[in-house]
Amino acid sequence: MILDLDRFLAAGRPSWSELEERLDRLESDPGHRLGVADVTRLHYLYRRAAADLARFATFSSEPEIRGYLEALVARAYGEVHALRPRGRQIMLWRLLSRSAPRAFRRHLGAFVLAVLATAAGAVFGGAALVLDPAARSVVLPAELAAWPPAERVAWEESVHADLLHGVRTRFSAQLFTHNTQVSIFCLALGITWGAGTLMLLFVNGVILGAVVADYMGAGHGGFLFGWLLPHGAIEIPAILIAGQAGLVLAGALLGRADPLPLRARLRNVTADLGTLVALCAALLAWAGLVEAFLSQYHAPVVPYGLKIAFGAIEAAALAAFLALAGGREP
Amino acid sequence: MKASSLTVRTPEGIVFSLPLAGPVTRFLAWTVDLACVSAAMTVAAGILGPLGLLSLDLHQAILAIVYVALSIGYAMLAEWMWRGQTLGKWLFRLRVVDEQGLKLRPEQVVVRNLLRFVDALPMFYLVGGAAVFLGRRAQRLGDVAAGTVVVRALPRREPDLETLLAGKFNSLRGHAHLEARLRQRVTPDEAALALRALLRRDGLDPAARVDLFHDIAGHFRRLVEFPVETTEGLTDEQYVRNVVDIVFRTRGDAAAS
């Protein structure tokens, strides 16, 4: 049996056209919410078009009509079966205050691994500098390697003029954009089954460890922590969270002890990846502001004790937020 | 094996497919998007220009943030607001969709665009391009991680059967038993092939057109033999058109029109 196309088209056209119109309206406004009557009607029209497609596929194989019906059913299927967040906008505040700490705690293992990779790098960097002073130019960034701690501290403490006057906001923006790019890389390299993320975290750790060893070895611990802690107390966890996201992605790719297929594993972590990235961006924006407006001012302009206390308070607040905010999992 | 389309089976048991986009079209769409970001950046610099007179520091800070926001956020915002399309994708009729045929979720848009940083390595999307070439579903790494695919969003319209079949005399009508036999013996695939040949006939080379309809008509003639007086003087193409009319339009009134 072959379908009578005339009759088939005449019977189906009104409902297909109505379905198309409703889909056009929905697609023109992503936040559009439907009433119960509209949802019921949309669902009916979708089932009707799906049934027409099934009937057509069985009794005819004319590709134009089949393509038209497939495209229509595909559009409607996406609308009818997909879950979307309620409301017109994604609630950023809710995302950061509730979803983000929950996502962080859900993947605490990945965060610990990110911390371990960074710590291993820090130990390596510190040890390299202590055991082989000639490695200084290799493990430290060029601008720090060329400037011995004692000379820098003496210079910074002797200059009372505001060196960032007129460039402070730009400096803050540059720090934010640079750190954002590093964090995105940290996450994105999770696609290398985590190897790239771990390497990036390790390298960050090497630099951090070498800087700490350099300044501590020269007896300038106060300067070091006064310089690093105000922004580092937020910036370093932010990069670790980006690394955590990368390792979560890697975990889903590897799927160790997880019976779900790869696509299902990835689907299960995508929401958490997006949430962790949003948290990371918010933390980096704050760290950029602090680094430009506070970290670059040293004693006697801003006492080291005050800067260290500020950094410690930030770190404690962040730890408390990540540990407690958002409540228990529903 | 590399698939040319994404096949989705719905919970209702309906199967539909979406044609996957190739790497070349995707690359072209990306170059358009790159031009869009550059243009937007130029416009932003022009708009923010007067701010530089008040504070050069603030002006440069905002420009730096706008640049990063545009280069990272443009595709995210566009794909979210325009259902998986950026300007480049719209121009080349491409669309990002969920690999299960569902609507894109915001986190999918975020993840696939953040992973561009790896796909773009070491330059000109070589990593992403290689993944598209080698992957079964033509996905770059960002698509794999986000569970998305890029499909060709071709405009679909119902074929205009009225223009093709209506208003023409069909000499094969009037032999009800032979019409019924024809409908019984012609398979859906054969009927679709004949209809498709008629719909596309104007695009065929004249010699190929004659050969094609000769073959199709010959096949249908062997299936059912109509009386000589009804087929006398009919060209092969007219014969095929009459067969298609009988097969796809079963109502008796179609013959009279």
Side-chain angles (χ1 to χ4, degrees):
Chain A
M1 179 184 146
I2 296 173
L3 273 181
D4 179 341
L5 282 188
D6 264 355
R7 198 174 292 170
F8 180 74
L9 291 174
R13 190 174 285 124
S15 63
W16 302 339
S17 302
E18 186 186 341
L19 180 58
E20 263 192 285
E21 280 169 28
R22 285 176 182 267
L23 290 172
D24 286 343
R25 275 207 300 275
L26 271 176
E27 288 175 2
S28 63
D29 179 7
H32 184 72
R33 293 180 69 182
L34 296 172
V36 175
D38 283 335
V39 170
T40 310
R41 183 68 185 161
L42 181 71
H43 190 232
Y44 164 76
L45 291 170
Y46 160 68
R47 283 187 303 154
R48 169 88 201 256
D52 284 340
L53 173 60
R55 190 159 159 250
F56 190 83
T58 309
F59 297 115
S60 187
S61 61
E62 198 286 305
E64 297 287 329
I65 297 176
R66 189 186 174 124
Y68 166 76
L69 279 174
E70 281 193 338
L72 189 62
V73 169
R75 284 171 70 195
Y77 172 71
E79 293 295 338
V80 169
H81 285 276
L83 287 172
R84 296 204 97 167
R86 293 177 69 181
R88 289 183 69 84
Q89 281 92 30
I90 304 156
M91 305 302 268
L92 191 63
W93 172 247
R94 190 184 162 89
L95 181 81
L96 291 175
S97 64
R98 186 179 289 187
S99 307
R102 281 182 182 171
F104 172 83
R105 294 195 292 271
R106 252 196 308 278
H107 304 288
L108 197 60
F111 182 77
V112 171
L113 188 54
V115 171
L116 289 176
T118 307
V123 170
F124 179 85
L129 200 85
V130 170
L131 299 174
D132 180 14
R136 196 166 187 283
S137 59
V138 177
V139 292
L140 282 174
E143 66 273 15
L144 289 177
W147 210 0
E151 281 180 29
R152 182 185 172 194
V153 172
W155 187 81
E156 297 267 18
E157 291 180 351
S158 67
V159 176
H160 292 180
D162 186 356
L163 296 173
L164 288 176
H165 180 71
V167 295
R168 194 179 296 117
T169 319
R170 185 180 57 185
F171 184 56
S172 170
Q174 283 169 347
L175 292 170
F176 169 68
T177 53
H178 171 261
N179 288 333
T180 301
Q181 285 165 345
V182 170
S183 301
I184 291 174
F185 255 116
C186 221
L187 156 71
L189 286 172
I191 200 76
T192 59
W193 292 277
T197 301
L198 288 173
M199 277 171 62
L200 196 56
L201 290 170
F202 184 83
V203 170
N204 267 354
V206 169
I207 297 169
L208 189 65
V211 170
V212 170
D214 199 23
Y215 280 77
M216 294 289 283
H220 293 293
F223 174 89
L224 173 76
F225 291 113
W227 165 43
L228 286 185
L229 263 186
H231 66 277
I234 300 296
E235 185 184 291
I236 294 169
I239 292 173
L240 289 172
I241 287 170
Q244 175 190 25
L247 294 173
V248 169
L249 174 60
L253 284 171
L254 291 168
R256 197 169 58 86
D258 191 340
L260 289 173
L262 173 67
R263 292 184 195 286
R265 294 199 303 268
L266 286 169
R267 184 169 283 270
N268 284 345
V269 299
T270 342
D272 284 348
L273 292 182
T275 307
L276 290 172
V277 167
L279 174 64
C280 181
L283 293 176
L284 287 175
W286 173 254
L289 286 172
V290 172
E291 185 164 7
F293 288 86
L294 179 62
S295 295
Q296 305 304 325
Y297 296 91
H298 307 285
V301 178
V302 184
Y304 293 139
L306 191 65
K307 292 175 76 180
I308 292 169
F310 180 80
I313 290 168
E314 279 182 310
L318 179 61
F321 168 74
L322 292 173
L324 304 171
R328 290 174 179 276
E329 295 282 345
Chain B
M1 199 177 114
K2 203 167 178 65
S4 61
S5 62
L6 172 74
T7 302
V8 177
R9 179 179 288 276
T10 72
E12 295 87 356
I14 308 299
V15 178
F16 60 84
S17 56
L18 300 165
L20 292 170
V24 176
T25 335
R26 290 179 69 172
F27 185 78
L28 292 173
W30 172 75
T31 55
V32 171
D33 288 333
L34 197 65
C36 288
V37 171
S38 304
M41 200 53 216
T42 309
V43 171
I47 292 171
L48 292 170
L51 189 64
L53 300 173
L54 297 172
S55 167
L56 190 63
D57 179 30
L58 188 63
H59 173 246
Q60 291 179 335
I62 292 177
L63 273 185
I65 289 177
V66 166
Y67 174 72
V68 171
L70 275 175
S71 56
I72 298 172
Y74 159 77
M76 285 186 198
L77 196 67
E79 285 174 7
W80 171 239
M81 297 300 292
W82 297 336
R83 305 273 170 149
Q85 286 190 311
T86 58
L87 210 60
K89 289 192 179 75
W90 174 77
L91 209 61
F92 286 93
R93 298 187 188 285
L94 305 179
R95 189 185 287 279
V96 184
V97 297
D98 179 280
E99 65 184 0
Q100 292 184 355
L102 300 173
K103 203 156 44 171
L104 277 181
R105 288 170 287 134
E107 59 268 20
Q108 287 179 298
V109 174
V110 170
V111 169
R112 81 180 294 279
N113 282 297
L114 288 182
L115 264 79
R116 275 181 196 285
F117 277 66
V118 175
D119 280 311
L121 290 174
M123 62 175 76
F124 298 122
Y125 276 79
L126 279 179
V127 168
V132 169
F133 267 114
L134 299 172
R136 202 170 63 84
R137 293 179 171 186
Q139 291 169 297
R140 62 175 176 81
L141 298 180
D143 286 320
V144 173
T148 55
V149 290
V150 181
V151 298
R152 284 184 285 140
L154 302 171
R156 295 288 192 177
R157 290 191 186 85
E158 300 167 31
D160 190 1
L161 293 176
E162 290 302 313
T163 317
L164 183 72
L165 301 175
K168 298 198 172 68
F169 175 72
N170 187 346
S171 61
L172 302 187
R173 296 269 186 194
H175 302 276
H177 66 293
L178 294 177
E179 285 181 45
R181 193 175 299 162
L182 187 68
R183 282 194 208 99
Q184 187 187 36
R185 291 186 178 173
V186 174
T187 67
D189 285 341
E190 289 167 351
L193 187 142
L195 177 58
R196 203 153 177 75
L198 287 169
L199 288 168
R200 291 185 167 185
R201 58 186 166 177
D202 291 334
L204 296 174
D205 175 74
R209 183 172 171 166
V210 170
D211 288 346
L212 176 69
F213 283 104
H214 175 73
D215 289 348
I216 298 174
H219 175 73
F220 287 142
R221 282 192 173 104
R222 283 191 294 278
L223 288 180
V224 176
E225 199 172 332
F226 280 85
V228 179
E229 63 271 20
T230 58
T231 58
E232 199 170 12
L234 276 184
T235 64
D236 289 332
E237 194 170 312
Q238 282 172 320
Y239 190 90
V240 172
R241 186 178 61 77
N242 288 350
V243 169
V244 167
D245 182 44
I246 287 171
V247 169
F248 283 112
R249 291 152 59 100
T250 54
R251 279 169 296 177
D253 55 356
S257 63

